[in-house]
């Protein structure tokens, strides 16, 4: 069941930096400067998200409920914190020097803050799971997986319009916005390389995603008791 959470987390919710637009004039230097400003602050947040996703993937689906609860709770909080910091980075960089830059910026900030709030809500749900009732715990994890699917839909809104164009290309070329490798190791007992079920895959995979999750386990069984 925890792998269903990983499928959602590693899907469309991470690519939040590929802002786009068409300047209509030769202002490549300004565009690159804007991208560099955002990506310089984004790198530690992208790393934080990658590590959080790896923790979810590495937590055995048949592990102890308390372990699953603790891992998911921290991961959700870390992703929420990262999204909040990314929103601040986009905001502090100022209006992107491209056509409709102000709208692109505000939409991205709105989406990042909204998903951060959604992850905080999921964290609270995880923290409230009943560890003594295995059936209730498994059902609760399913509800949380469904909640992650809703976050995916949020990410497919304004952000889906920001993944191409001059500004998007400038940001992808910046080292700070490159895909990060998790600094935490996968659990040897987890099946992180197995493909996800169709039901848990995101509707569309954004390009240049900084997520590092290779895919959730086939296992969707309920966790074992303590």
């Amino acid at each position: 069941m925890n792998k269903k959470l990983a499928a959602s987390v590693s899907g469309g919710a991470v690519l939040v930096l590929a802002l786009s637009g068409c300047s209509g004039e030769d202002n490549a230097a300004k565009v690159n400067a804007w991208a560099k400003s955002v990506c310089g602050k984004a790198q530690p947040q992208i790393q934080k998200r990658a590590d959080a996703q790896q923790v979810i993937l590495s937590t055995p689906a048949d592990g102890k409920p308390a372990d699953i609860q603790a891992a998911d709770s921290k991961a959700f909080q870390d992703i929420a914190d990262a999204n909040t910091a990314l929103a601040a980075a986009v905001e502090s960089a100022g209006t992107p020097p491209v056509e409709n830059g102000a709208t692109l910026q505000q939409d991205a900030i709105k989406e990042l803050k909204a998903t951060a709030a959604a992850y905080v809500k999921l964290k609270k749900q995880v923290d409230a799971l009943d560890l003594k009732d295995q059936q209730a715990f498994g059902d609760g994890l399913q509800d949380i997986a469904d909640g992650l699917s809703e976050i995916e839909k949020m990410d497919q809104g304004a952000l889906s319009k920001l993944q191409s164009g001059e500004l998007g290309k400038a940001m992808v070329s910046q080292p700070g916005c490159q895909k990060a490798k998790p600094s935490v190791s996968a659990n040897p007992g987890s099946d992180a390389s197995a493909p996800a079920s169709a039901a848990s895959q995101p509707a569309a995979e954004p390009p240049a995603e900084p997520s590092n999750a290779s895919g959730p386990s086939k296992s969707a069984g309920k966790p074992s008791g303590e």
Side-chain angles (χ1 to χ4, degrees), residues 124-144:
K124 293 179 179 178
Q125 285 182 249
V126 169
D127 291 342
L129 292 177
D130 186 352
L131 299 178
K132 297 180 180 179
D133 187 330
Q134 179 140 336
Q135 181 64 49
F137 184 82
D139 291 344
L141 283 183
Q142 180 61 62
D143 290 341
I144 291 166

Side-chain angles (χ1 to χ4, degrees), residues 27-221:
N27 64 343
K30 292 181 180 179
V31 172
N32 288 330
W34 192 94
K36 184 176 181 180
S37 174
V38 173
C39 293
K41 298 177 181 178
Q43 196 281 328
Q45 308 311 324
I46 293 176
Q47 184 66 59
K48 192 172 188 176
R49 289 198 57 126
D51 289 345
Q53 292 160 14
Q54 186 63 39
V55 166
I56 293 176
L57 281 171
S58 300
T59 304
D62 58 351
K64 294 181 179 180
D67 292 342
I68 294 175
Q69 182 186 55
D72 289 347
S73 178
K74 184 179 185 304
F76 290 153
Q77 185 63 63
D78 284 350
I79 295 173
D81 291 344
N83 276 9
T84 299
L86 287 169
V90 173
E91 186 170 19
S92 66
T95 302
V98 295
E99 184 179 352
N100 298 321
T103 299
L104 293 171
Q105 180 192 36
Q106 292 305 311
D107 284 350
I109 292 170
K110 181 180 179 181
E111 290 290 335
L112 287 166
K113 289 183 176 180
T115 52
Y119 275 110
V120 169
K121 183 178 179 181
L122 287 181
K123 177 189 182 300
K124 293 179 179 178
Q125 285 182 249
V126 169
D127 291 342
L129 292 177
D130 186 352
L131 299 178
K132 297 180 180 179
D133 187 330
Q134 179 140 336
Q135 181 64 49
F137 184 82
D139 291 344
L141 283 183
Q142 180 61 62
D143 290 341
I144 291 166
D146 293 341
L148 281 170
S149 296
E150 291 302 313
I151 295 178
E152 284 180 16
K153 294 177 183 178
M154 293 168 61
D155 290 323
Q156 296 303 318
L159 292 177
S160 66
K161 303 173 184 178
L162 310 175
Q163 296 172 0
S164 63
E166 183 181 6
L167 190 57
K169 292 178 182 178
M171 298 189 77
V172 169
S173 69
Q174 291 293 327
C177 287
Q178 296 299 314
K179 180 176 180 178
K181 293 183 179 180
S183 59
V184 294
S185 300
N187 187 312
S190 66
D191 187 13
S193 62
S197 65
S200 61
Q201 286 285 0
E205 180 98 5
E209 169 140 12
S211 166
N212 300 283
S214 59
S217 168
K218 296 178 181 178
S219 174

